[in-house]
Amino acid sequence: MPDTTDHEAAAGGGESTVTVIVAAVANLGIALAKAVAGVVSGSSAMLSEAAHSVADTVTEVLLLTALRRSEKPADEAHPLGHGPERYIWALLAAVATFVGGAVFSLYDGVHTLVKGEEPGDPLVAYVVLAVAFVLEAISLRTGLRQTRAEARRYGSTFGRYLRHTPDTAVKAVVMEDSAALAGLVLAALGLLGTQLTGSGVWDGVASLLIGVLLLYVAWVLGRSNAELLVGRPLPAAVRDGIRAELRAVPHIEDVLELTTLLQGPREALVAAKVDFRDVSTAAEVEWACETAEKRLREAFPVVSRVYLDPTPSEPPRRT
């Protein structure tokens, strides 16, 4: 993986709160409109889309909670800060997408295929779908703008940045809004098929496809957050750069062991067992540690904590 990508994967963030708020406001209004249109038109796909938007709204609330709580400063009870807490709430958001959106859509689709449905007036549904498409597109544009800006900042492509960024709040917004636009198209096709043929099968199939789409989004987001909760290191190229910076410090002979841990989009911990020159004084070792930490923070702004453990490369010989 290129160095630029590794740097972008190690960092992230930006205007995440604004992006999530825009998505939450858009999804709340869309959910209400879709629910009314689903009842009026009798469309299971529209009701699935309403459940989709409700799940997205709950997701945005959980993501806002994640952003707010993860920014709390470190204290005596939480000496390493609250950064990883964002991934707990983001994981719950992925579960909300699965339960609130995917399960309902799949159930409603199967129910429609088995029991059938009575088609109503699709006009209201078409109007709501059109308005929802515009609102979702505005929300998605906000997320895409931030993602592209971050990707350019770290010299990465958009797709690579989205796959590797630890800023899962923005990743969730982009993926869910993209899925929402695709779901709106599927719902419209289901309505059109039912209107042209008089069969509710088209609507039921559209509902099932929306459910499968949401399953995929929930799985990707859940896996990303679980990986970060378990503990993801900085990328290999960044770790190599950290070793090089440490070895360049006077009085440091070698880096025997290096451990890195991402704690948030702009937070990473670095711990290393370091072999100092045997002839170095205690004062020189202390200043070497200070110099090493300064170099790492300047070279890699994502590094927020540095812990160095003086360790001999070989055990002392017994005489």
Side-chain angles (χ1 to χ4, degrees), residues 288-310:
C289 290
E290 290 295 315
T291 301
E293 181 171 355
K294 182 179 179 181
R295 289 179 66 111
L296 290 182
R297 289 179 180 272
E298 290 177 351
F300 306 98
V302 70
V303 173
S304 55
R305 296 175 180 85
V306 179
Y307 301 100
L308 301 180
D309 178 15

Side-chain angles (χ1 to χ4, degrees), residues 244-254 274-277 280-281 283-292 295 308:
E245 288 291 335
L246 290 175
R247 289 176 180 134
V249 175
H251 302 288
I252 290 182
E253 292 285 344
D254 197 11
V274 178
D275 179 24
F276 289 89
R277 292 175 56 195
S280 298
T281 65
E284 287 172 334
V285 169
E286 291 172 349
W287 279 109
C289 290
E290 290 295 315
T291 301
R295 289 179 66 111
L308 301 180

Side-chain angles (χ1 to χ4, degrees), residues 165-188:
T165 178
D167 192 349
T168 53
V170 173
K171 183 174 184 175
V173 169
V174 171
M175 290 197 65
E176 288 173 356
D177 284 347
S178 299
L181 290 176
L184 291 171
V185 173
L186 290 172

Side-chain angles (χ1 to χ4, degrees), residues 8-315:
E8 58 81 12
E15 301 77 19
S16 303
T17 301
V18 174
T19 300
V20 174
I21 289 175
V22 170
V25 173
N27 282 320
L28 182 59
I30 291 169
L32 295 174
K34 286 178 180 176
V36 172
V39 172
V40 173
S41 66
S43 168
S44 66
M46 280 302 299
L47 291 176
S48 295
E49 273 298 297
H52 181 178
S53 293
V54 169
D56 283 353
T57 303
V58 173
T59 294
E60 313 309 342
V61 171
L62 290 171
L63 291 177
L64 285 172
T65 303
L67 292 171
R68 182 172 177 272
R69 293 186 63 85
S70 65
E71 291 172 355
K72 293 168 63 177
D75 52 37
E76 187 174 350
H78 304 87
L80 296 181
H82 296 75
E85 189 169 349
R86 76 163 53 209
Y87 301 124
I88 297 175
W89 291 94
L91 182 61
L92 292 176
V95 173
T97 299
F98 171 76
V99 175
V103 172
F104 180 87
S105 298
L106 292 172
Y107 166 80
D108 206 38
V110 171
H111 182 268
T112 299
L113 292 176
V114 174
K115 300 292 185 180
E117 66 179 23
E118 288 294 329
D121 184 4
L123 179 60
V124 175
Y126 284 129
V127 172
V128 169
L129 285 174
V131 174
F133 194 92
V134 173
L135 294 176
E136 292 284 9
I138 293 173
S139 175
L140 177 60
R141 184 180 65 176
T142 303
L144 290 176
R145 183 185 296 131
Q146 178 183 345
T147 305
R148 289 194 181 107
E150 292 288 335
R152 284 195 301 269
R153 184 179 303 170
Y154 298 105
S156 174
T157 63
F158 171 83
R160 190 180 292 270
Y161 178 85
L162 192 63
R163 285 195 301 272
H164 296 286
T165 178
D167 192 349
T168 53
V170 173
K171 183 174 184 175
V173 169
V174 171
M175 290 197 65
E176 288 173 356
D177 284 347
S178 299
L181 290 176
L184 291 171
V185 173
L186 290 172
L189 292 175
L191 275 172
L192 181 61
T194 297
Q195 185 181 5
L196 294 176
T197 64
S199 171
V201 170
W202 294 91
D203 205 44
V205 170
S207 185
L208 287 175
L209 291 176
I210 291 170
V212 171
L213 181 64
L214 292 177
L215 274 178
Y216 173 74
V217 171
W219 177 74
V220 171
L221 294 177
R223 184 184 63 176
S224 297
N225 286 289
E227 181 184 76
L228 287 159
L229 272 175
V230 171
R232 195 172 90 185
L234 290 170
V238 177
R239 299 198 299 272
D240 290 342
I242 289 174
R243 289 189 182 92
E245 288 291 335
L246 290 175
R247 289 176 180 134
V249 175
H251 302 288
I252 290 182
E253 292 285 344
D254 197 11
V255 179
L256 305 178
E257 183 179 321
L258 177 66
T259 300
T260 64
L261 180 65
L262 273 169
Q263 297 181 292
R266 296 189 182 277
E267 291 182 74
L269 179 148
V270 173
K273 288 183 177 293
V274 178
D275 179 24
F276 289 89
R277 292 175 56 195
D278 293 338
V279 296
S280 298
T281 65
E284 287 172 334
V285 169
E286 291 172 349
W287 279 109
C289 290
E290 290 295 315
T291 301
E293 181 171 355
K294 182 179 179 181
R295 289 179 66 111
L296 290 182
R297 289 179 180 272
E298 290 177 351
F300 306 98
V302 70
V303 173
S304 55
R305 296 175 180 85
V306 179
Y307 301 100
L308 301 180
D309 178 15
T311 306
S313 59
E314 297 179 0

